[in-house]
Amino acid sequence: MASFPVDKIRDDFPILHQTVYGRPLIYFDNAASTQKPVQVIRAISGYYETDNCNIHRGVHFLSQRATETYEETRKMVQRFIHAASSNEIIFTKGTTESINLVASSFGKQYISPGDEVLISIMEHHANIVPWQQMCLERGARLQFIPIHDNGELNMEAYRSMVKEKTKLVAITHVSNVLGTINPVKEIIAYAHSFGIPVLVDGAQSVSHLGADMQDLDCDFFCFSGHKMYAPMGIGVLYGKEKFLEAIPPYQTGGEMIKEVHTDGTTFNELPFKFEAGTPNVEGVYGLNAAIRYVENLGLENIRKYENEILEYATAKLSEFDDIRIIGTAKEKTSVISFLIGTIHPYDAGVIIDKMGIAVRTGHHCAMPLLERYRIPATVRASFAFYNTAEEVDSLMEAIRKVKKIFG
Ligand code: PMP
Protein backbone atom coordinates (compact mmCIF):
# COMPACT_ATOMS: atom_id res chain seq x y z
CA MET A 1 0.00 0.00 0.00
CA ALA A 2 3.10 2.16 0.23
CA SER A 3 2.95 3.64 -3.26
CA PHE A 4 -0.57 5.03 -2.99
CA PRO A 5 -0.46 8.62 -1.62
CA VAL A 6 -3.34 8.15 0.82
CA ASP A 7 -2.14 10.81 3.31
CA LYS A 8 -1.96 13.42 0.59
CA ILE A 9 -5.36 12.34 -0.72
CA ARG A 10 -6.91 12.62 2.74
CA ASP A 11 -5.81 16.26 2.85
CA ASP A 12 -8.27 16.88 0.01
CA PHE A 13 -11.23 15.69 2.11
CA PRO A 14 -11.93 18.24 4.86
CA ILE A 15 -14.76 16.19 6.42
CA LEU A 16 -12.36 13.40 7.37
CA HIS A 17 -10.40 15.71 9.68
CA GLN A 18 -12.80 15.86 12.57
CA THR A 19 -13.53 13.94 15.72
CA VAL A 20 -16.86 12.37 16.65
CA TYR A 21 -17.49 11.29 20.25
CA GLY A 22 -13.91 12.44 20.89
CA ARG A 23 -12.42 10.03 18.36
CA PRO A 24 -11.13 10.63 14.82
CA LEU A 25 -13.95 10.05 12.34
CA ILE A 26 -13.60 6.85 10.34
CA TYR A 27 -15.92 6.82 7.36
CA PHE A 28 -16.81 3.33 6.13
CA ASP A 29 -20.18 4.17 4.55
CA ASN A 30 -18.93 4.89 1.07
CA ALA A 31 -21.42 2.60 -0.68
CA ALA A 32 -24.17 4.88 0.63
CA SER A 33 -22.38 8.07 -0.40
CA THR A 34 -18.76 9.12 -0.78
CA GLN A 35 -17.18 12.23 0.71
CA LYS A 36 -16.26 15.19 -1.48
CA PRO A 37 -12.77 16.56 -2.12
CA VAL A 38 -12.13 20.32 -1.86
CA GLN A 39 -11.85 20.41 -5.65
CA VAL A 40 -15.54 19.43 -5.90
CA ILE A 41 -16.62 21.73 -3.06
CA ARG A 42 -14.78 24.65 -4.71
CA ALA A 43 -16.32 23.90 -8.10
CA ILE A 44 -19.80 24.19 -6.56
CA SER A 45 -19.09 27.38 -4.60
CA GLY A 46 -17.22 28.77 -7.62
CA TYR A 47 -20.30 28.24 -9.73
CA TYR A 48 -22.37 30.35 -7.34
CA GLU A 49 -19.62 32.98 -6.95
CA THR A 50 -19.07 33.61 -10.67
CA ASP A 51 -21.35 31.65 -13.02
CA ASN A 52 -24.78 31.19 -11.42
CA CYS A 53 -27.46 31.41 -14.07
CA ASN A 54 -30.08 29.31 -15.77
CA ILE A 55 -28.65 27.67 -18.85
CA HIS A 56 -29.41 27.16 -22.56
CA ARG A 57 -31.88 29.92 -23.31
CA GLY A 58 -29.96 33.04 -22.24
CA VAL A 59 -27.93 35.09 -24.70
CA HIS A 60 -26.06 36.93 -21.96
CA PHE A 61 -22.53 36.20 -20.79
CA LEU A 62 -23.27 34.27 -17.57
CA SER A 63 -25.84 32.05 -19.21
CA GLN A 64 -23.48 31.25 -22.05
CA ARG A 65 -20.60 30.47 -19.69
CA ALA A 66 -22.72 28.18 -17.49
CA THR A 67 -24.17 26.49 -20.59
CA GLU A 68 -20.66 25.91 -21.93
CA THR A 69 -19.52 24.18 -18.73
CA TYR A 70 -22.72 22.14 -18.58
CA GLU A 71 -22.32 20.92 -22.16
CA GLU A 72 -18.56 20.44 -21.80
CA THR A 73 -19.30 18.20 -18.83
CA ARG A 74 -21.68 16.15 -20.94
CA LYS A 75 -18.76 15.56 -23.35
CA MET A 76 -16.51 14.79 -20.41
CA VAL A 77 -18.97 12.12 -19.18
CA GLN A 78 -19.13 10.76 -22.73
CA ARG A 79 -15.34 10.34 -22.74
CA PHE A 80 -15.29 9.01 -19.16
CA ILE A 81 -17.69 6.16 -19.96
CA HIS A 82 -16.66 5.82 -23.62
CA ALA A 83 -20.08 6.56 -25.08
CA ALA A 84 -20.28 6.93 -28.85
CA SER A 85 -21.96 10.34 -28.71
CA SER A 86 -22.76 13.05 -26.16
CA ASN A 87 -26.40 12.69 -27.32
CA GLU A 88 -26.38 9.46 -25.32
CA ILE A 89 -25.65 11.24 -22.02
CA ILE A 90 -28.71 12.41 -20.10
CA PHE A 91 -28.28 14.26 -16.80
CA THR A 92 -30.69 13.01 -14.15
CA LYS A 93 -31.02 13.24 -10.36
CA GLY A 94 -29.23 9.91 -10.00
CA THR A 95 -29.48 6.18 -10.59
CA THR A 96 -33.03 5.94 -9.21
CA GLU A 97 -34.35 8.58 -11.58
CA SER A 98 -32.40 7.09 -14.50
CA ILE A 99 -33.97 3.66 -13.95
CA ASN A 100 -37.43 5.14 -13.44
CA LEU A 101 -37.04 7.01 -16.72
CA VAL A 102 -36.19 3.84 -18.63
CA ALA A 103 -38.87 1.75 -16.90
CA SER A 104 -41.51 4.33 -17.73
CA SER A 105 -40.51 5.26 -21.28
CA PHE A 106 -39.18 1.88 -22.45
CA GLY A 107 -42.21 0.23 -20.85
CA LYS A 108 -44.65 2.43 -22.78
CA GLN A 109 -42.88 1.73 -26.05
CA TYR A 110 -41.94 -1.92 -25.83
CA ILE A 111 -43.74 -3.83 -23.05
CA SER A 112 -47.07 -5.60 -23.67
CA PRO A 113 -49.18 -7.97 -21.55
CA GLY A 114 -47.46 -11.34 -21.06
CA ASP A 115 -43.95 -9.94 -21.63
CA GLU A 116 -41.18 -10.52 -19.09
CA VAL A 117 -38.48 -8.34 -17.55
CA LEU A 118 -35.50 -10.12 -16.05
CA ILE A 119 -33.64 -8.75 -13.03
CA SER A 120 -31.66 -10.46 -10.25
CA ILE A 121 -32.39 -11.18 -6.60
CA MET A 122 -29.39 -9.03 -5.56
CA GLU A 123 -30.81 -5.76 -6.96
CA HIS A 124 -31.16 -2.55 -4.97
CA HIS A 125 -34.82 -1.52 -4.59
CA ALA A 126 -34.14 1.19 -7.20
CA ASN A 127 -33.63 -1.56 -9.76
CA ILE A 128 -36.64 -3.59 -8.61
CA VAL A 129 -39.57 -1.34 -7.83
CA PRO A 130 -39.64 0.73 -11.08
CA TRP A 131 -39.84 -2.57 -13.02
CA GLN A 132 -42.40 -4.01 -10.62
CA GLN A 133 -44.62 -0.96 -11.08
CA MET A 134 -44.16 -0.91 -14.84
CA CYS A 135 -44.97 -4.65 -15.07
CA LEU A 136 -48.10 -4.10 -12.98
CA GLU A 137 -49.23 -1.29 -15.27
CA ARG A 138 -48.51 -3.18 -18.47
CA GLY A 139 -49.58 -6.70 -17.45
CA ALA A 140 -46.02 -7.99 -17.71
CA ARG A 141 -44.08 -10.31 -15.38
CA LEU A 142 -40.94 -9.58 -13.39
CA GLN A 143 -38.55 -12.51 -13.00
CA PHE A 144 -35.62 -12.76 -10.56
CA ILE A 145 -32.34 -14.48 -11.46
CA PRO A 146 -31.15 -16.44 -8.39
CA ILE A 147 -27.68 -16.36 -6.84
CA HIS A 148 -25.37 -18.93 -5.29
CA ASP A 149 -24.69 -18.87 -1.53
CA ASN A 150 -21.37 -17.08 -2.04
CA GLY A 151 -23.19 -14.16 -3.68
CA GLU A 152 -22.33 -14.94 -7.29
CA LEU A 153 -25.07 -14.82 -9.88
CA ASN A 154 -26.38 -18.21 -11.02
CA MET A 155 -25.46 -17.89 -14.69
CA GLU A 156 -26.92 -21.24 -15.60
CA ALA A 157 -30.28 -20.16 -14.22
CA TYR A 158 -29.94 -16.83 -16.05
CA ARG A 159 -29.44 -18.58 -19.38
CA SER A 160 -32.44 -20.80 -18.80
CA MET A 161 -34.65 -17.83 -17.90
CA VAL A 162 -34.05 -15.86 -21.10
CA LYS A 163 -37.10 -16.57 -23.25
CA GLU A 164 -38.92 -15.27 -26.25
CA LYS A 165 -41.12 -13.22 -23.91
CA THR A 166 -38.12 -11.53 -22.28
CA LYS A 167 -38.09 -7.89 -23.39
CA LEU A 168 -35.38 -6.45 -21.15
CA VAL A 169 -32.66 -7.54 -18.71
CA ALA A 170 -31.81 -5.07 -15.90
CA ILE A 171 -28.84 -6.03 -13.75
CA THR A 172 -26.55 -4.40 -11.25
CA HIS A 173 -22.87 -4.25 -12.17
CA VAL A 174 -21.89 -4.48 -8.48
CA SER A 175 -24.09 -5.45 -5.52
CA ASN A 176 -24.28 -2.76 -2.82
CA VAL A 177 -24.61 -5.49 -0.15
CA LEU A 178 -22.39 -8.34 -1.35
CA GLY A 179 -19.81 -6.38 -3.31
CA THR A 180 -20.14 -9.01 -6.06
CA ILE A 181 -18.97 -7.83 -9.48
CA ASN A 182 -21.39 -9.43 -11.92
CA PRO A 183 -20.14 -10.73 -15.28
CA VAL A 184 -22.18 -8.06 -17.05
CA LYS A 185 -20.31 -8.37 -20.33
CA GLU A 186 -21.26 -12.03 -20.57
CA ILE A 187 -24.84 -11.27 -19.47
CA ILE A 188 -25.18 -8.58 -22.13
CA ALA A 189 -23.69 -10.71 -24.91
CA TYR A 190 -26.06 -13.56 -24.08
CA ALA A 191 -29.16 -11.29 -24.02
CA HIS A 192 -28.05 -9.64 -27.25
CA SER A 193 -27.80 -13.01 -28.96
CA PHE A 194 -31.61 -13.08 -28.58
CA GLY A 195 -31.98 -9.40 -29.50
CA ILE A 196 -32.84 -8.43 -25.89
CA PRO A 197 -31.58 -5.05 -24.62
CA VAL A 198 -29.80 -4.75 -21.24
CA LEU A 199 -29.77 -2.00 -18.61
CA VAL A 200 -26.82 -1.96 -16.21
CA ASP A 201 -27.11 -0.31 -12.78
CA GLY A 202 -23.65 1.18 -12.34
CA ALA A 203 -24.33 2.95 -9.02
CA GLN A 204 -21.80 0.79 -7.17
CA SER A 205 -19.34 0.15 -9.96
CA VAL A 206 -18.39 3.36 -11.65
CA SER A 207 -16.21 4.82 -8.85
CA HIS A 208 -14.29 1.53 -8.47
CA LEU A 209 -14.14 0.07 -11.96
CA GLY A 210 -15.01 2.92 -14.31
CA ALA A 211 -17.32 2.04 -17.19
CA ASP A 212 -16.75 1.46 -20.88
CA MET A 213 -19.89 1.52 -23.00
CA GLN A 214 -18.04 0.28 -26.08
CA ASP A 215 -16.60 -2.68 -24.22
CA LEU A 216 -19.78 -3.59 -22.30
CA ASP A 217 -22.13 -2.82 -25.18
CA CYS A 218 -25.06 -2.38 -22.75
CA ASP A 219 -28.09 -0.48 -24.01
CA PHE A 220 -28.63 1.62 -20.86
CA PHE A 221 -26.24 2.43 -18.00
CA CYS A 222 -27.09 4.42 -14.87
CA PHE A 223 -25.00 6.00 -12.13
CA SER A 224 -25.13 8.60 -9.34
CA GLY A 225 -22.67 11.44 -8.83
CA HIS A 226 -22.77 11.27 -5.04
CA LYS A 227 -21.30 7.76 -5.00
CA MET A 228 -18.29 8.95 -7.00
CA TYR A 229 -17.17 12.04 -5.05
CA ALA A 230 -19.61 14.43 -6.79
CA PRO A 231 -22.62 16.12 -5.16
CA MET A 232 -26.01 14.61 -4.46
CA GLY A 233 -28.87 15.19 -6.88
CA ILE A 234 -26.85 14.68 -10.06
CA GLY A 235 -26.52 11.47 -12.02
CA VAL A 236 -26.38 10.07 -15.50
CA LEU A 237 -28.44 7.92 -17.78
CA TYR A 238 -26.53 6.56 -20.74
CA GLY A 239 -28.70 5.12 -23.48
CA LYS A 240 -27.88 3.96 -26.98
CA GLU A 241 -29.11 6.61 -29.37
CA LYS A 242 -31.44 4.21 -31.21
CA PHE A 243 -33.34 3.50 -27.97
CA LEU A 244 -33.36 7.08 -26.73
CA GLU A 245 -34.76 8.12 -30.11
CA ALA A 246 -37.42 5.41 -30.02
CA ILE A 247 -38.80 5.84 -26.48
CA PRO A 248 -41.13 8.71 -25.48
CA PRO A 249 -40.13 11.58 -23.15
CA TYR A 250 -40.33 10.88 -19.41
CA GLN A 251 -41.27 14.34 -18.16
CA THR A 252 -42.37 17.39 -20.10
CA GLY A 253 -41.63 21.11 -19.85
CA GLY A 254 -38.59 23.35 -20.27
CA GLU A 255 -35.66 22.53 -22.51
CA MET A 256 -37.16 19.23 -23.70
CA ILE A 257 -39.62 21.20 -25.81
CA LYS A 258 -39.13 22.46 -29.35
CA GLU A 259 -42.44 24.23 -30.01
CA VAL A 260 -45.68 24.52 -28.12
CA HIS A 261 -48.96 25.44 -29.79
CA THR A 262 -52.46 25.31 -28.41
CA ASP A 263 -53.10 22.18 -30.44
CA GLY A 264 -49.91 20.30 -29.59
CA THR A 265 -46.19 20.24 -28.82
CA THR A 266 -43.07 19.06 -30.60
CA PHE A 267 -40.14 17.79 -28.58
CA ASN A 268 -36.48 18.77 -28.66
CA GLU A 269 -33.83 16.42 -29.98
CA LEU A 270 -31.44 14.31 -27.92
CA PRO A 271 -30.16 14.70 -25.29
CA PHE A 272 -32.51 17.55 -24.33
CA LYS A 273 -35.60 15.43 -24.98
CA PHE A 274 -35.08 13.83 -21.55
CA GLU A 275 -34.01 16.89 -19.55
CA ALA A 276 -37.23 18.62 -18.51
CA GLY A 277 -37.16 21.75 -16.33
CA THR A 278 -34.22 23.66 -14.89
CA PRO A 279 -31.39 21.17 -14.51
CA ASN A 280 -29.00 20.73 -11.59
CA VAL A 281 -26.27 23.00 -12.98
CA GLU A 282 -24.25 23.19 -9.75
CA GLY A 283 -24.34 19.38 -9.62
CA VAL A 284 -22.91 19.21 -13.13
CA TYR A 285 -20.09 21.59 -12.11
CA GLY A 286 -19.38 19.28 -9.16
CA LEU A 287 -19.51 16.16 -11.33
CA ASN A 288 -17.03 17.77 -13.71
CA ALA A 289 -14.55 18.31 -10.84
CA ALA A 290 -15.17 14.80 -9.45
CA ILE A 291 -14.43 13.11 -12.77
CA ARG A 292 -11.24 15.11 -13.10
CA TYR A 293 -10.27 14.12 -9.54
CA VAL A 294 -10.86 10.41 -10.13
CA GLU A 295 -9.09 10.47 -13.50
CA ASN A 296 -6.14 12.25 -11.93
CA LEU A 297 -5.76 9.49 -9.34
CA GLY A 298 -6.25 6.88 -12.06
CA LEU A 299 -8.93 4.21 -11.92
CA GLU A 300 -6.31 1.45 -12.03
CA ASN A 301 -4.51 2.86 -8.98
CA ILE A 302 -7.82 3.29 -7.14
CA ARG A 303 -8.85 -0.29 -7.87
CA LYS A 304 -5.53 -1.70 -6.78
CA TYR A 305 -5.48 0.22 -3.49
CA GLU A 306 -9.12 -0.48 -2.66
CA ASN A 307 -8.54 -4.19 -3.36
CA GLU A 308 -5.69 -4.19 -0.87
CA ILE A 309 -7.93 -2.61 1.77
CA LEU A 310 -10.67 -5.16 0.97
CA GLU A 311 -8.28 -8.09 1.29
CA TYR A 312 -6.82 -6.73 4.52
CA ALA A 313 -10.26 -6.17 6.07
CA THR A 314 -11.51 -9.59 4.92
CA ALA A 315 -8.47 -11.30 6.46
CA LYS A 316 -8.86 -9.38 9.74
CA LEU A 317 -12.59 -10.19 9.97
CA SER A 318 -11.85 -13.84 9.25
CA GLU A 319 -9.70 -13.99 12.39
CA PHE A 320 -12.92 -13.87 14.44
CA ASP A 321 -14.46 -17.34 14.59
CA ASP A 322 -18.03 -16.06 14.89
CA ILE A 323 -18.09 -13.50 12.09
CA ARG A 324 -20.06 -14.45 9.02
CA ILE A 325 -19.31 -12.54 5.86
CA ILE A 326 -22.31 -12.30 3.54
CA GLY A 327 -20.90 -12.19 0.01
CA THR A 328 -17.70 -14.05 -0.72
CA ALA A 329 -17.69 -13.90 -4.51
CA LYS A 330 -14.34 -14.22 -6.27
CA GLU A 331 -14.75 -10.82 -7.94
CA LYS A 332 -15.67 -8.11 -5.45
CA THR A 333 -15.36 -4.37 -4.89
CA SER A 334 -14.51 -2.95 -1.48
CA VAL A 335 -17.79 -3.75 0.31
CA ILE A 336 -18.08 -6.19 3.22
CA SER A 337 -21.39 -7.17 4.79
CA PHE A 338 -21.16 -9.26 7.94
CA LEU A 339 -22.86 -10.56 11.05
CA ILE A 340 -21.19 -10.83 14.46
CA GLY A 341 -22.45 -14.07 16.00
CA THR A 342 -26.10 -13.63 16.89
CA ILE A 343 -25.72 -9.96 17.81
CA HIS A 344 -28.26 -7.80 16.01
CA PRO A 345 -26.57 -5.52 13.45
CA TYR A 346 -28.35 -2.46 14.92
CA ASP A 347 -26.87 -3.14 18.36
CA ALA A 348 -23.44 -3.61 16.81
CA GLY A 349 -23.86 -0.43 14.74
CA VAL A 350 -24.61 1.69 17.80
CA ILE A 351 -21.42 0.60 19.57
CA ILE A 352 -19.30 0.93 16.44
CA ASP A 353 -20.70 4.44 15.92
CA LYS A 354 -19.70 5.44 19.47
CA MET A 355 -16.14 4.49 18.51
CA GLY A 356 -16.31 7.16 15.78
CA ILE A 357 -16.77 4.67 12.96
CA ALA A 358 -19.53 5.13 10.39
CA VAL A 359 -20.78 1.77 9.12
CA ARG A 360 -24.26 1.05 7.80
CA THR A 361 -26.63 -1.43 9.36
CA GLY A 362 -29.94 -2.61 7.95
CA HIS A 363 -31.29 -4.13 4.77
CA HIS A 364 -29.40 -1.70 2.51
CA CYS A 365 -32.48 -1.29 0.28
CA ALA A 366 -32.12 -4.89 -0.88
CA MET A 367 -34.87 -6.69 1.06
CA PRO A 368 -35.36 -9.56 -1.44
CA LEU A 369 -31.63 -10.32 -1.21
CA LEU A 370 -31.66 -10.43 2.60
CA GLU A 371 -34.76 -12.63 2.47
CA ARG A 372 -32.77 -14.94 0.20
CA TYR A 373 -30.19 -15.26 3.01
CA ARG A 374 -32.96 -15.41 5.66
CA ILE A 375 -31.45 -12.53 7.63
CA PRO A 376 -33.08 -9.20 8.51
CA ALA A 377 -29.96 -7.02 8.32
CA THR A 378 -26.18 -6.88 8.11
CA VAL A 379 -23.40 -4.56 9.22
CA ARG A 380 -21.80 -3.14 6.09
CA ALA A 381 -18.36 -1.55 5.87
CA SER A 382 -17.61 -0.05 2.46
CA PHE A 383 -14.23 1.43 1.65
CA ALA A 384 -12.98 4.23 -0.57
CA PHE A 385 -9.47 5.21 -1.62
CA TYR A 386 -9.10 7.58 1.36
CA ASN A 387 -9.51 4.76 3.89
CA THR A 388 -6.51 3.13 5.53
CA ALA A 389 -5.45 -0.20 7.06
CA GLU A 390 -5.15 1.57 10.44
CA GLU A 391 -8.81 2.50 10.17
CA VAL A 392 -9.64 -1.15 9.49
CA ASP A 393 -7.72 -2.04 12.67
CA SER A 394 -9.95 0.40 14.58
CA LEU A 395 -13.03 -1.36 13.22
CA MET A 396 -11.67 -4.66 14.56
CA GLU A 397 -11.18 -3.04 17.97
CA ALA A 398 -14.79 -1.81 17.83
CA ILE A 399 -15.99 -5.33 16.97
CA ARG A 400 -14.12 -6.73 19.97
CA LYS A 401 -15.93 -4.15 22.11
CA VAL A 402 -19.30 -5.13 20.59
CA LYS A 403 -18.59 -8.78 21.41
CA LYS A 404 -17.59 -7.90 24.96
CA ILE A 405 -20.81 -5.94 25.56
CA PHE A 406 -23.26 -8.27 23.83
CA GLY A 407 -21.39 -11.55 23.65
N1 PMP B 1 -28.48 0.89 -7.26
C1 PMP B 1 -27.54 0.54 -6.38
C2 PMP B 1 -26.78 -0.74 -6.61
C3 PMP B 1 -27.28 1.35 -5.28
O1 PMP B 1 -26.35 0.99 -4.40
C4 PMP B 1 -28.01 2.55 -5.11
C5 PMP B 1 -27.77 3.46 -3.93
N2 PMP B 1 -27.55 2.82 -2.72
C6 PMP B 1 -28.97 2.88 -6.07
C7 PMP B 1 -29.18 2.04 -7.13
C8 PMP B 1 -29.77 4.14 -5.98
O2 PMP B 1 -28.94 5.24 -6.13
P1 PMP B 1 -29.47 6.71 -5.84
O3 PMP B 1 -30.10 6.69 -4.48
O4 PMP B 1 -28.24 7.55 -5.90
O5 PMP B 1 -30.44 7.06 -6.90
Side-chain angles (χ1 to χ4, degrees):
M1 299 186 200
S3 60
F4 195 72
V6 66
D7 289 338
K8 194 163 159 284
I9 288 165
R10 288 178 68 86
D11 285 344
D12 289 335
F13 290 82
I15 203 167
L16 299 177
H17 302 281
Q18 63 178 303
T19 52
V20 294
Y21 309 116
R23 289 167 179 268
L25 169 70
I26 294 176
Y27 188 76
F28 284 162
D29 196 16
N30 295 288
S33 199
T34 55
Q35 298 303 345
K36 322 302 170 200
V38 277
Q39 290 83 343
V40 168
I41 298 166
R42 278 194 211 122
I44 300 164
S45 58
Y47 164 68
Y48 284 113
E49 280 162 19
T50 62
D51 292 12
N52 176 44
C53 187
N54 212 327
I55 56 166
H56 287 137
R57 277 148 287 173
V59 291
H60 61 80
F61 183 83
L62 285 189
S63 182
Q64 285 189 27
R65 190 157 68 185
T67 304
E68 250 169 52
T69 303
Y70 187 89
E71 291 305 328
E72 257 172 34
T73 308
R74 199 191 300 278
K75 292 206 175 84
M76 183 188 240
V77 173
Q78 177 205 341
R79 282 195 305 276
F80 182 61
I81 65 167
H82 307 276
S85 154
S86 58
N87 285 346
E88 298 177 322
I89 307 299
I90 314 293
F91 288 122
T92 64
K93 275 198 303 194
T95 308
T96 304
E97 189 177 49
S98 298
I99 297 172
N100 271 278
L101 188 164
V102 179
S104 168
S105 295
F106 185 93
K108 283 186 189 131
Q109 186 69 24
Y110 292 110
I111 306 290
S112 308
D115 286 345
E116 290 187 357
V117 173
L118 206 51
I119 65 173
S120 87
I121 199 71
M122 71 168 82
E123 301 307 315
H124 185 279
H125 295 164
N127 200 28
I128 301 175
V129 186
W131 306 115
Q132 221 167 31
Q133 291 304 111
M134 183 270 271
C135 286
L136 268 176
E137 282 162 23
R138 308 206 63 82
R141 287 214 314 169
L142 187 60
Q143 303 281 25
F144 292 80
I145 309 161
I147 57 170
H148 297 293
D149 287 343
N150 69 353
E152 287 177 0
L153 202 70
N154 185 335
M155 288 296 285
E156 212 175 300
Y158 163 62
R159 283 187 209 97
S160 73
M161 291 170 82
V162 173
K163 296 193 209 114
E164 209 179 299
K165 287 178 176 174
T166 312
K167 289 293 150 68
L168 185 88
V169 177
I171 186 90
T172 196
H173 197 171
V174 168
S175 159
N176 66 314
V177 180
L178 309 165
T180 308
I181 303 173
N182 282 320
V184 281
K185 215 174 147 178
E186 201 182 324
I187 292 166
I188 294 160
Y190 189 75
H192 281 180
S193 69
F194 295 88
I196 302 163
V198 180
L199 175 142
V200 175
D201 173 351
Q204 292 295 340
S205 63
V206 76
S207 68
H208 305 287
L209 311 173
D212 185 336
M213 297 305 105
Q214 301 314 304
D215 184 48
L216 290 183
D217 197 29
C218 55
D219 303 279
F220 298 101
F221 187 88
C222 313
F223 64 95
S224 301
H226 72 96
K227 292 185 198 281
M228 55 164 294
Y229 314 99
M232 292 187 176
I234 186 71
V236 169
L237 167 66
Y238 159 85
K240 277 189 186 158
E241 213 161 344
K242 65 173 181 187
F243 283 114
L244 294 180
E245 289 288 2
I247 64 179
Y250 176 52
Q251 293 181 332
T252 52
E255 192 58 24
M256 60 76 64
I257 280 158
K258 196 177 206 170
E259 282 183 20
V260 181
H261 303 282
T262 52
D263 59 352
T265 296
T266 51
F267 301 127
N268 206 341
E269 58 213 19
L270 289 175
F272 311 110
K273 174 182 168 186
F274 291 103
E275 291 182 4
T278 297
N280 181 356
V281 183
E282 87 208 47
V284 168
Y285 271 64
L287 182 64
N288 182 309
I291 291 175
R292 269 185 283 143
Y293 191 88
V294 165
E295 285 190 324
N296 239 343
L297 282 185
L299 277 160
E300 262 308 302
N301 300 330
I302 290 173
R303 174 125 177 82
K304 196 160 160 260
Y305 179 76
E306 288 177 344
N307 261 344
E308 284 171 0
I309 293 285
L310 173 71
E311 276 171 25
Y312 183 73
T314 306
K316 284 279 163 191
L317 280 175
S318 306
E319 286 173 11
F320 293 93
D321 51 14
D322 56 351
I323 285 202
R324 177 180 165 205
I325 295 177
I326 311 291
T328 51
K330 237 182 270 134
E331 295 290 326
K332 279 185 69 169
T333 60
S334 47
V335 174
I336 309 187
S337 274
F338 59 94
L339 297 170
I340 311 167
T342 55
I343 301 166
H344 197 286
Y346 290 108
D347 292 335
V350 169
I351 304 299
I352 294 170
D353 172 55
K354 290 291 182 293
M355 306 275 287
I357 304 171
V359 291
R360 188 148 292 244
T361 56
H363 55 62
H364 316 297
C365 294
M367 288 172 94
L369 175 65
L370 294 208
E371 270 172 19
R372 151 70 177 77
Y373 282 100
R374 297 182 205 284
I375 52 176
T378 73
V379 181
R380 183 185 72 185
S382 51
F383 312 111
F385 53 65
Y386 41 64
N387 291 129
T388 65
E390 291 72 35
E391 289 181 321
V392 171
D393 291 339
S394 299
L395 176 61
M396 300 308 137
E397 189 193 323
I399 291 171
R400 276 190 286 275
K401 186 152 187 194
V402 169
K403 280 162 60 82
K404 208 163 152 198
I405 293 172
F406 294 102

